[in-house]
Amino acid sequence: MSIRPLTLVEYIGQEEVKKQVRVLIDSAKKRVESLDHIILAGPPGLGKTTLATVIATEMGSQIKVTSAPVIEKKGDIVGLLTSLKDGDILFIDEIHRLSPAFEEILYPAMEDFKLDIIIGGGVGKKRYSKAITLDLSRFTLIGATTRIGMLSDPLLSRFGVILTLDYYTEGELSEIVKRVAQIMAVEIEEEACMEIARHSRGTPRIANKILKRVYDFSLSHNRERIDTDTVRQALRLFSIKDYGIDSLMLKYLRILVESFHGGPIGLTTLCSALNEDRKTIEEVIEPFLLRMGFIKKTKVGRVAQGKAFEFLSNFRDT
Ligand code: ADE
């Protein structure tokens, strides 16, 4: 059994997204056509690649997985597109990093399943080049992005649906940990799964990583069953912070709470204090802090909430 879920039933959480995916798949199967192109948006580690593979399995399709930064020349993307068969899925991770020249190759491919290429040949004065159009198979492009705001409008408009993944609840993360532990044949108590979930910043990738460290700890200490105490000792040993907050989020909270007395503070001020651009703050740092109720966005700026003050005062103590 794979650690990654293979079907929608095995995929935990993201209930609204799963309902939409179910409808898209049912409809495509009944029409006996390929799925419309899909964007999967949301913070890193929430299972976008996993969901794309689940969609492929549910459709009975082959999936080719790539990432925009590894597409270096036109030939790479042309090679990928021409290798696809009807119904296949092409998954491009970090699609916001695709260069404009490669985006333009995608437009006719996505819209009309056509590829416009220029071929050259001959030598010396007999050199020639001519434009030809190739027919492609009816594939589905699934693009994943952590930065939907960085996608160009022409590219975004060619996707039929945008599915946005959100942070998982602690209950859902605990279920994910339990499932993975079962697959790994690791004995773990219910409350220990919850303790891992509480430190995972709503993110399965973090939860799975913590589970691995906790398992290392339990093996090293010859503990056959993982309980809350084992989890806490492992968290301390590996310096894993409450909520799994990362250093950028911590810096943000410190600036807001300690340098600006909890705000309100405008986005522009935050940008210069953090030395980050607006999009990184709005799309990478703030979603989790908003979701956790650490901060609020108001008309006059960002304001820290009681939970943020509490978190930082506990944090200083540890
Ligand atoms: N692993 C990563 N994301 C998952 C999810 N949503 N359900 C189950 N396992 C996962």
Side-chain angles (χ1 to χ4, degrees), residues 5 10-12 46-47 50 168 176 179 204 208:
E10 287 174 304
Y11 192 92
I12 295 159
L46 297 193
T50 305
Y168 291 72
I176 292 174
R179 178 180 173 277
N208 286 333

Side-chain angles (χ1 to χ4, degrees), residues 197-243:
R198 278 194 281 273
H199 289 80
S200 302
R201 190 157 41 82
T203 309
R205 186 183 291 158
I206 299 179
N208 286 333
K209 206 156 45 175
I210 296 179
L211 174 64
K212 282 192 196 147
R213 296 296 77 76
V214 171
Y215 182 47
D216 292 340
F217 186 90
S218 72
L219 283 180
S220 160
H221 287 76
N222 301 313
R223 301 205 183 150
E224 281 184 3
R225 190 175 166 81
I226 298 173
D227 57 11
T228 316
D229 191 48
T230 311
V231 174
R232 292 205 176 126
Q233 289 179 41
L235 290 171
R236 209 169 309 128
L237 177 72
F238 291 107
S239 308
I240 294 164
K241 302 177 187 84
D242 279 357
Y243 301 103

